[in-house]
Amino acid sequence: MILEVAGLSTAYRSQAVLRDVSFSAPEGELIAIVGPNGAGKSTLIKTILGLTPSLGGSVSVFGRPIGDVRTRIGYVPQRESVDWDFPTHALDVVMMGRYGRLGWFRRPGRKEKAIAMECLAGVGMEAFAERQISQLSGGQQQRVFLARALAQDADLYFMDEPFAGVDAATEKAIVELLRRLRSEGKTVIVVHHDLATVPEYFDSVLLLNVTVQAFGPTAEVFTETNLQRTYGGRVAFAVAATGQAKGAEA
Amino acid sequence: MMQLWDSLAALATDPNLRWIALGCMLLGLSSGMIGCFAYLRRQSLMGDTIAHTALPGICVAFLLTGVKSLPVFMLGAIVAGIAGTLAIRVITARSRIKADAAMGIVLSSFFGIGIVLLTMIQHSGDGSQSGLDKFLFGQAASMVGSDVQLMAGVSLLLTFVCTLLFKEFKLLAFDPAFAKGSGFSTSLLDFIMQALVVTAVVAGIQAVGVVLVAALLITPAVSARFWTERLDRMIMLSGAFGMISGLLGAWISSQVFQLPTGPVSVLAAAFVFLVSVLFGTKRGLLTMRLTRSRARQQLQALQGSTASVKEAG
């Protein structure tokens, strides 16, 4: 198991956001975290990464505390979490993926630039290397973020809603990228909101609503019963979405 | 005109004035560089708050020691500045008051205390000679050699730290969550950044004054943003703008009109800002207007050609 989460809990003021979340992620899989709004999907990723404090529980990656293995972990935050009007260009953002390996004080050089360029090409964005980031479309910005994660050259990736608000071309590029990462033996954990594409894109799925509702291989876990339990009042929506997915597969 | 020429000559020949001008330039350089990060992190008002909260610290330092000494005043200013930032943290963490309101409250109440103490000192026996009123608007010309050297040295140190941690500060400003995920201690970086702002403000307090010293942090940074889309260039430009403002402030205030240094420096920075807003090559109003009219012409040309194609078809 590449990632083991045991009894993780967090709260915002007195409201529980995550309660006693435990799961073990197998290596080399694409794993979706799915659940309704406010289920704590992003919080789960951030808490695992230690970006937000937890009330209790433990996280181990590659059998070690996360602080020891930071350079083996890649992270794609939500696109809206940064100011895209920042004075920088696409290649420079991708190079930030190398900062963790460079450590304190050392500046990125020719080698880092070459790696960053390669990663930009990996998401089909090499033509936009010098483009100021505010002048990229939403999908292009998302690809820059993915290229930055590639530059981290990690073994385990966390991606927070990478498919949110992107065009069809970017969605296809992201899916190809995920599959390529899997073929290289990497593990990718993705917060996902589009139920219809879960069976097609992901090997395993974690159904989350404050607590873990179900976790396991998509074929076994992604069932109507489990979705109903996860989405509660929004059953009709959830069922309609899975119906769509089945229709698409057929 | 003759007077202006004489003063320019004095700048070249008078060693004392030359030191003061150099000190103010270095102050402007470091403030301009640090200001870029504060501006990009939306903490523009932090410097202003720290500067205003420093005043009671300076007064208390004088009341306790009874001596007029810049290092002692700086110590008082640092303690009060840190107390002010802590007060803001406590207010925003423990209540639902947002940062801007908390800064407003802390800034004005500390400054109020400072003015009360300052007035008391002025009216006391030997207080009128304390020269503490100079700290309101700054008087670079009144600085003695060792004070100028202290200011210059601190400014150089700030510039060095800012250059050394450029990569880390950039990441912190753009994407703090990613910085933390990459293994950098963001709380340490945040602390260093705060310390730099406090030190820059305190270093500039005698030369530029508590009321306006923060303008040297923000105005050059905002001006530089109009000329470039690259952070490294923005920081160099901002530093250069800061240097120009510092030089003009020190020179004009010491020579021509006997004005306090702060307002003159800030007016120089404001002039650079005005030029930048109008003519900045990346975001200036003129550039944007030209780009838009060029786009319109291209569109019209395109429409014209499609129209003629239709006619031909």
Side-chain angles (χ1 to χ4, degrees):
Chain A
M1 290 296 148
I2 194 164
L3 166 71
E4 305 213 31
V5 176
L8 203 63
S9 298
T10 63
Y12 179 72
R13 298 190 193 274
S14 60
Q15 183 81 28
V17 180
L18 294 173
R19 197 183 309 128
D20 198 24
V21 171
S22 302
F23 68 98
S24 302
E27 196 169 345
E29 284 201 358
L30 303 181
I31 302 164
I33 300 176
V34 173
N37 290 334
K41 303 185 293 285
S42 293
T43 309
L44 176 58
I45 285 193
K46 286 184 191 152
T47 314
I48 290 173
L49 288 169
L51 304 180
T52 51
S54 69
L55 286 177
S58 69
V59 172
S60 79
V61 189
F62 314 107
R64 302 174 63 181
I66 195 146
D68 296 355
V69 286
R70 288 259 181 229
T71 52
R72 294 181 66 190
I73 297 170
Y75 175 43
V76 181
Q78 283 186 20
R79 187 159 48 87
E80 297 80 32
S81 66
V82 304
D83 174 16
W84 289 92
D85 200 32
F86 198 84
T88 186
H89 54 288
L91 185 67
D92 198 40
V93 172
V94 179
M95 255 193 289
M96 289 177 189
R98 303 301 299 173
Y99 286 9
R101 278 177 194 272
L102 283 169
W104 289 81
F105 311 124
R106 269 170 61 203
R107 296 286 182 87
R110 204 169 296 163
K111 183 181 154 221
E112 279 70 32
K113 201 168 176 177
I115 293 171
M117 203 64 208
E118 212 174 284
C119 295
L120 262 183
V123 294
M125 286 286 294
E126 67 272 36
F128 298 92
E130 302 278 309
R131 184 74 67 90
Q132 207 274 324
I133 54 170
S134 68
Q135 293 178 4
L136 299 168
S137 72
Q140 290 169 334
Q141 290 174 348
Q142 190 65 61
R143 286 198 231 179
V144 167
F145 258 17
L146 286 162
R148 181 175 71 169
L150 285 183
Q152 288 184 287
D153 191 21
D155 296 312
L156 171 63
Y157 285 97
F158 292 90
M159 302 186 179
D160 202 345
E161 301 247 16
F163 292 103
V166 301
D167 49 283
T170 299
E171 173 139 357
K172 196 160 160 270
I174 298 174
V175 171
E176 278 168 16
L177 177 74
L178 291 179
R179 291 186 176 146
R180 201 173 73 220
L181 287 171
R182 177 174 57 189
S183 71
E184 290 166 8
K186 321 244 172 182
T187 312
V188 189
I189 297 176
V190 180
V191 171
H192 196 56
H193 64 287
D194 181 14
L195 291 175
T197 52
V198 169
E200 189 192 339
Y201 294 169
F202 298 99
D203 306 312
S204 290
V205 61
L206 174 75
L207 293 172
L208 184 75
N209 193 350
V210 185
T211 58
V212 175
Q213 303 296 318
F215 176 67
T218 310
E220 291 169 28
V221 167
F222 201 66
T223 61
E224 234 170 86
T225 332
N226 281 339
L227 283 169
Q228 270 182 13
R229 202 168 56 187
T230 311
Y231 282 81
R234 273 155 287 185
V235 172
F237 156 73
V239 173
T242 44
Q244 242 175 13
K246 278 172 192 155
E249 276 177 307
Chain B
M1 199 60 222
M2 219 31 226
Q3 215 179 2
L4 203 72
W5 179 247
D6 285 347
S7 67
L8 200 62
L11 199 65
T13 52
D14 181 346
N16 191 39
L17 182 57
R18 216 159 46 198
W19 261 109
I20 289 168
L22 181 71
C24 287
M25 280 170 78
L26 288 173
L27 176 75
L29 172 72
S30 58
S31 301
M33 288 172 70
I34 294 163
C36 283
F37 293 112
Y39 166 55
L40 290 171
R41 297 184 70 203
R42 299 172 196 277
Q43 292 184 339
S44 297
L45 280 175
M46 207 61 206
D48 211 23
T49 310
I50 292 166
H52 281 76
T53 54
L55 186 63
I58 294 168
C59 295
V60 170
F62 177 76
L63 287 172
L64 286 179
T65 62
V67 290
K68 188 193 162 201
S69 143
L70 187 61
V72 170
F73 289 167
M74 279 171 105
L75 199 67
I78 286 177
V79 171
I82 291 172
T85 42
L86 282 180
I88 292 163
R89 288 233 168 137
V90 169
I91 291 173
T92 47
R94 296 287 165 84
S95 72
R96 286 172 180 248
I97 297 168
K98 299 273 182 289
D100 59 336
M103 282 186 199
I105 293 163
V106 171
L107 180 156
S108 49
S109 30
F110 273 66
F111 193 62
I113 298 168
I115 292 292
V116 168
L117 290 175
L118 187 65
T119 315
M120 278 165 56
I121 293 167
Q122 295 291 326
H123 290 290
S124 71
D126 57 354
S128 51
Q129 271 87 50
S130 69
L132 275 187
D133 55 324
K134 292 281 197 293
F135 280 78
L136 275 180
F137 300 112
Q139 192 55 272
S142 71
M143 291 176 85
V144 298
S146 61
D147 291 355
V148 177
Q149 281 161 15
L150 183 64
M151 179 172 80
V154 169
S155 300
L156 271 181
L157 182 72
L158 291 174
T159 309
F160 174 72
V161 175
C162 216
T163 315
L164 189 71
L165 288 173
F166 173 74
K167 176 185 98 216
E168 286 78 7
F169 284 158
K170 178 163 79 174
L171 195 57
L172 181 75
F174 177 62
D175 194 345
F178 191 82
K180 203 170 175 185
S182 299
F184 294 101
S185 165
T186 45
S187 48
L188 177 64
L189 277 172
D190 193 48
F191 175 79
I192 298 173
M193 178 54 72
Q194 294 278 7
L196 291 186
V197 173
V198 172
T199 315
V201 164
V202 170
I205 266 177
Q206 189 178 8
V208 195
V210 294
V211 180
L212 294 170
V213 67
L216 280 188
L217 282 168
I218 300 313
T219 319
V222 180
S223 308
R225 190 68 185 89
F226 284 90
W227 299 92
T228 176
E229 299 285 1
R230 303 282 158 89
L231 182 60
D232 48 358
R233 290 178 205 164
M234 178 181 164
I235 283 176
M236 283 188 266
L237 257 182
S238 178
F241 290 162
M243 279 173 96
I244 294 169
S245 309
L247 174 67
L248 286 175
W251 167 44
I252 296 175
S253 72
S254 65
Q255 292 293 311
V256 189
F257 306 109
Q258 294 301 318
L259 283 166
T261 313
V264 181
S265 290
V266 171
L267 280 178
F271 178 72
V272 172
F273 172 70
L274 192 67
V275 172
S276 303
V277 170
L278 291 175
F279 305 110
T281 48
K282 288 294 174 193
R283 308 191 151 203
L285 293 176
L286 193 72
T287 313
M288 302 227 302
R289 176 160 287 195
L290 280 175
T291 322
R292 214 173 303 142
S293 76
R294 212 174 293 142
R296 198 179 299 129
Q297 277 168 8
Q298 277 172 356
L299 187 69
Q300 278 165 355
L302 205 68
Q303 283 171 339
S305 66
T306 49
S308 60
V309 168
K310 269 183 197 158
E311 274 167 33

